[in-house]
Amino acid sequence: PGIEAALVKRTEAGLELIEGADEEGEIAIRKGWPSMFRAYLNDEARYAKSFAGGYYLTGDLAKRDKDGYFWFVGRSDDVIKSSGHLNGPFEVESAMMEHPAGAEAGVIGKPDEVAGQLVKAFISLRNGYSPTPELKEEIYGFGRKRLGAVAPREIEFLETLPKTRSGKIMRRLLKARELGLPEGDTSTLETSK
């Protein structure tokens, strides 16, 4: 009660409300909700940037179904734009884990001159599966059938994926390691036992 949520698309002219079902947009909350926060600590510019057109922009992408329910797609900063397709990593990771060999998956966008970004999947395997070239080809085929154009173009098998202590896969760490970038803050990284 007291919260008015909408889906919006950012345009050069401002915000465009998304009214139709099954269209993806950013979750926005109308300013003035009962527990609205007043600032980001020591970061006034970030707070100001988070508001546009009378809405707080959450950075979360979702679709609204015909019944009006919102379905989370991913974070806007995690979205991978490859050959004109916007790919939510969660959708690709879920598909990779549907393969019988896939225990866990983490997906990143990797810079590519032609496609803009290509989808790369890091997969840890279930017990009883070995990281063979044949298995990699099988998973490529599985991904293409399941996801079509948004399927991973690269797959790398890892024994374990970097996770926070709460068990969330750290995509930013996978990306930093892949691209040779600084890893940043790793204080929440789960330590090996």
Side-chain angles (χ1 to χ4, degrees), residues 9-98:
K9 185 185 302 180
R10 298 181 198 217
T11 67
E12 288 183 19
L15 293 183
E16 178 184 315
L17 286 175
I18 297 173
E19 302 292 341
D22 295 325
E23 287 186 60
E24 190 174 295
E26 184 173 358
I27 299 174
I29 302 172
R30 171 85 57 201
K31 258 177 110 167
W33 69 91
S35 60
M36 184 175 139
F37 65 108
R38 296 182 188 169
Y40 282 111
L41 184 62
N42 301 322
D43 199 347
E44 290 178 34
R46 180 177 174 205
Y47 182 78
K49 188 178 169 188
S50 298
F51 289 87
Y55 285 93
Y56 169 67
L57 306 172
T58 66
D60 291 321
L61 299 177
K63 290 183 180 182
R64 183 177 27 235
D65 67 19
K66 62 182 174 42
D67 297 320
Y69 291 100
F70 287 58
W71 294 84
F72 181 74
V73 172
R75 291 283 305 158
S76 60
D77 52 4
D78 277 347
V79 172
I80 303 163
K81 188 170 186 176
S82 181
S83 301
H85 298 276
L86 286 178
N87 308 305
F90 179 75
E91 170 189 13
V92 180
E93 289 165 352
S94 296
M96 294 295 94
M97 292 181 351
E98 286 177 18

Side-chain angles (χ1 to χ4, degrees), residues 4-190:
E4 183 184 334
L7 291 182
V8 299
K9 185 185 302 180
R10 298 181 198 217
T11 67
E12 288 183 19
L15 293 183
E16 178 184 315
L17 286 175
I18 297 173
E19 302 292 341
D22 295 325
E23 287 186 60
E24 190 174 295
E26 184 173 358
I27 299 174
I29 302 172
R30 171 85 57 201
K31 258 177 110 167
W33 69 91
S35 60
M36 184 175 139
F37 65 108
R38 296 182 188 169
Y40 282 111
L41 184 62
N42 301 322
D43 199 347
E44 290 178 34
R46 180 177 174 205
Y47 182 78
K49 188 178 169 188
S50 298
F51 289 87
Y55 285 93
Y56 169 67
L57 306 172
T58 66
D60 291 321
L61 299 177
K63 290 183 180 182
R64 183 177 27 235
D65 67 19
K66 62 182 174 42
D67 297 320
Y69 291 100
F70 287 58
W71 294 84
F72 181 74
V73 172
R75 291 283 305 158
S76 60
D77 52 4
D78 277 347
V79 172
I80 303 163
K81 188 170 186 176
S82 181
S83 301
H85 298 276
L86 286 178
N87 308 305
F90 179 75
E91 170 189 13
V92 180
E93 289 165 352
S94 296
M96 294 295 94
M97 292 181 351
E98 286 177 18
H99 187 280
E104 293 181 313
V107 173
I108 65 164
K110 185 175 170 182
D112 182 76
E113 285 185 22
V114 176
Q117 289 183 307
L118 60 83
V119 178
K120 179 166 184 176
F122 297 88
I123 301 172
S124 67
L125 300 174
R126 294 183 187 278
N127 289 335
Y129 289 91
S130 298
T132 64
E134 295 79 20
L135 180 59
K136 190 179 282 189
E137 286 303 313
E138 182 183 321
I139 294 174
Y140 276 128
F142 180 84
R144 283 187 206 105
K145 284 180 188 170
R146 182 82 176 73
L147 298 165
V150 301
R153 293 231 202 110
E154 288 187 17
I155 292 175
E156 183 175 331
F157 295 124
L158 295 178
E159 204 167 301
T160 59
L161 300 178
K163 289 182 254 177
T164 64
R165 288 187 198 105
S166 62
K168 183 179 178 202
I169 293 171
M170 296 181 76
R171 290 186 197 110
R172 70 166 181 83
L173 206 52
L174 289 169
K175 188 167 195 160
R177 290 173 180 174
E178 176 68 18
L179 303 178
L181 300 172
E183 292 186 0
D185 181 14
T186 58
S187 62
T188 62
L189 184 64
E190 178 182 63

